[in-house]
Amino acid sequence: MAQSWSWLYVLSFLGCSGDSVLMSVLTSHLRSLGISHVNIGLLSSANGLALLISGPIVGSWSDIHGRREVLCLSTLVCALAYVALGHVSSLYLLFFTRCVLGTFQHVQTLGRALVADIVPADKQASTTALMHAFAYLSLTVGPLISGHVMEADNGFQCLTIAVATIFVFNAVLIYTFASPARSLKTRTSENTPPSKQLLLIFQQLKSINWKDCWMIFCIKFLFDFSALFFFRSVDVALVNSFQLTSRYVGYTISFYCFILLLSSLVLGATKFLKASSGNHLKYLNYTFWVMTVSLVGLYTVNNPTLFVVGLVPLACGHSLARVLLTEVLLEQCDDSCRGSVMGASSSVAAIARTVAPLLSSLAISWGGVSLMLIASSLVTASASLLTSSYSRQQVRSKVL
C-alpha cells in the first residue's frame, strides 16, 4: 500500500536527472565548443562554490517561507538554466548558468528536510534510505541514456530540454503533493517585503546554535571526502593495478553503483534502521570501521576479482553511513531550522567535492594507487574515531 509520502521517491529519482544524464557528457560537450580543460575545471568549481554559499541560505529560506514554495521556484529556475546550458556557447554565459544551477539545485537537500516534516519519526530512516536508492537508480540509468542520445545530431541540446521538462514535472509534483507550510513564521513572512525576507533569512541562520552541529559536520566532511577521494580515482586504480580495459572499468563502476542501490533498497525494506533508533552514532562508528577494513583489504588484493568483491562491503557501508548521518543531523534540529541545517550539510559536502578530486589526483601522482587507498582508509578511520569521541560526549552531556 502506497504511503502519503511515496511521491518523495519520485522526487528523489527525478531530482538527480540533471547530474545523472548531463554530467557524464558535459565535458565532451564543452570540449566540442573549444573550451579548455582549465576553464572546464573552473566551471565545475564555480558550480561547487555557488552550492557552498547557497546551501544554508536556501535552507533557511525554506524554513521561513515554506518547503513547497522554495522547492517549486528552485526547480523551475533550474529548468530554465538547463535549457540555457544546452544553447549557449559563450564561456561567460556558461559560468553564469553553472552558478545559477549551483545556487538553486537543492532538491535532494530540501527533500531530506521534507522527510522530517511529513514522515512519522519511526519511518524516517527507512524513507531516507529508499530516497537514496531511487537517487542511485537515477545515477545508474542516466549515463546509459545520455550516451546513446549524444550520438545523435544536437544530442546535448535534446538532453538539456529533456532534463528541463523533467524538472518542470518535478515542480508540478511538488506543488500537487507537498503541503503548504502553515507555521506562524511562514504566515508572518508572507506579508513581509522581499528585502526584509532576505534579512529574516540571515537572522534565522544567526539564531541557530551551530555549536551543536559542528562535530557532525566534521564527521560528514571526512565521510564525503573519503568516499570521493576513493571513487574519483577508482578507474585509475583498476587500469594501473590490473590493466583493465575501459569496458571492464565501466562494468566495475556500474557494479559498485548497483550495490549502492541494492543496499539502500534493503535498508529501506527491513526494520534494521527502526531497530537502530537511538543508537545511530554507535552503528555509524561500526560502519566506518567496516569501510576502513574494506579499503585496507583493497590495498592488499592482487587480482581484479578480489578487488570487485572488496567493493561490496564498502558500498554497503557507504549507503548505511549516508542514511545514519542524515538521521544524526536531523536529531540535532527542530522543524524551525531543519532546512538551514540540511543546507549547511550540503555546503559541507560541496567543500569535500571541491577538495577531494584534486587531492586524490595528487596522491595518485605522488604515490600511485597504494597512497590513494591508504589515505582513504586513514580518513575513514579518522571519521570513526571522531564519531566515537562525539558519542562519548553525548553520553556525558545526558548524564550531566
Side-chain angles (χ1 to χ4, degrees):
M1 181 178 177
Q3 296 106 337
S4 59
W5 58 85
S6 297
W7 63 275
L8 289 173
Y9 307 138
V10 182
L11 175 73
S12 183
F13 178 82
L14 297 181
C16 280
S17 61
D19 284 336
S20 65
V21 172
L22 294 180
M23 293 307 107
S24 61
V25 296
L26 179 61
T27 298
S28 60
H29 169 71
L30 295 175
R31 289 295 296 153
S32 70
L33 297 176
I35 297 175
S36 67
H37 286 291
V38 173
N39 284 329
I40 291 173
L42 290 173
L43 283 171
S44 179
S45 297
N47 181 265
L49 181 62
L51 180 64
L52 169 65
I53 296 171
S54 66
I57 296 173
V58 173
S60 179
W61 184 25
S62 75
D63 286 332
I64 295 171
H65 201 67
R67 262 10 125 214
R68 186 179 76 166
E69 290 75 11
V70 173
L71 266 170
C72 283
L73 179 61
S74 297
T75 50
L76 289 175
V77 171
C78 285
L80 293 174
Y82 276 121
V83 172
L85 185 65
H87 292 82
V88 300
S89 55
S90 165
L91 181 61
Y92 298 109
L93 289 176
L94 286 168
F95 267 111
F96 176 75
T97 304
R98 293 289 285 158
C99 287
V100 170
L101 286 171
T103 301
F104 288 96
Q105 197 166 3
H106 294 282
V107 174
Q108 298 298 321
T109 302
L110 297 182
R112 289 193 291 272
L114 270 172
V115 171
D117 290 342
I118 65 177
V119 178
D122 61 333
K123 296 183 182 296
Q124 288 178 8
S126 59
T127 301
T128 301
L130 287 173
M131 287 181 68
H132 284 310
F134 278 89
Y136 291 137
L137 178 61
S138 178
L139 293 172
T140 303
V141 173
L144 301 176
I145 297 172
S146 59
H148 288 287
V149 176
M150 280 294 287
E151 294 178 356
D153 293 336
N154 299 318
F156 189 79
Q157 287 77 9
C158 294
L159 287 173
T160 55
I161 292 172
V163 170
T165 304
I166 290 172
F167 268 65
V168 171
F169 178 80
N170 234 4
V172 174
L173 181 77
I174 294 162
Y175 188 82
T176 303
F177 291 101
S179 300
R182 292 291 93 195
S183 66
L184 176 62
K185 186 188 295 185
T186 303
R187 291 197 299 270
T188 303
S189 70
E190 288 174 351
N191 301 317
T192 304
S195 59
K196 291 191 175 181
Q197 285 193 27
L198 184 62
L199 182 61
L200 280 174
I201 290 172
F202 289 99
Q203 288 176 343
Q204 159 82 358
L205 290 172
K206 187 177 178 180
S207 67
I208 297 172
N209 186 10
W210 294 106
K211 290 181 180 179
D212 293 339
C213 300
W214 77 268
M215 280 281 281
I216 306 173
F217 287 152
C218 289
I219 294 169
K220 178 173 174 55
F221 173 79
L222 291 173
F223 165 70
D224 285 330
F225 180 89
S226 174
L228 289 164
F229 193 86
F230 169 77
F231 193 71
R232 289 298 175 92
S233 298
V234 68
D235 54 341
V236 179
L238 292 168
V239 172
N240 290 357
S241 300
F242 309 116
Q243 289 74 52
L244 295 185
T245 63
S246 297
R247 177 192 297 181
Y248 288 101
V249 170
Y251 288 160
T252 304
I253 293 174
S254 295
F255 173 77
Y256 184 81
C257 292
F258 175 74
I259 298 299
L260 288 173
L261 166 62
L262 187 62
S263 55
S264 296
L265 286 172
V266 170
L267 286 172
T270 61
K271 296 182 179 180
F272 168 76
L273 290 172
K274 184 177 180 180
S276 68
S277 180
N279 295 300
H280 291 141
L281 286 171
K282 181 178 75 172
Y283 286 105
L284 184 61
N285 189 24
Y286 293 159
T287 303
F288 283 145
W289 279 120
V290 169
M291 295 174 66
T292 301
V293 172
S294 299
L295 287 165
V296 172
L298 293 177
Y299 170 74
T300 61
V301 300
N302 55 11
N303 72 75
T305 302
L306 289 177
F307 191 93
V308 171
V309 172
L311 290 176
V312 175
L314 184 64
C316 292
H318 183 104
S319 296
L320 179 57
R322 192 166 292 281
V323 175
L324 291 174
L325 270 171
T326 301
E327 290 302 302
V328 172
L329 266 174
L330 290 174
E331 287 171 356
Q332 300 301 313
C333 56
D334 55 30
D335 57 359
S336 66
C337 63
R338 192 171 290 136
S340 304
V341 172
M342 297 310 296
S345 173
S346 72
S347 294
V348 171
I351 297 173
R353 282 198 293 270
T354 302
V355 177
L358 173 61
L359 294 182
S360 181
S361 300
L362 290 175
I364 290 285
S365 300
W366 292 340
V369 174
S370 298
L371 180 58
M372 183 270 289
L373 290 170
I374 292 172
S376 296
S377 61
L378 289 175
V379 173
T380 309
S382 300
S384 179
L385 293 173
L386 194 59
T387 303
S388 179
S389 173
Y390 180 66
S391 180
R392 290 194 299 270
Q393 179 183 323
Q394 291 292 95
V395 171
R396 285 197 299 269
S397 64
K398 288 179 181 178
V399 171
L400 296 175

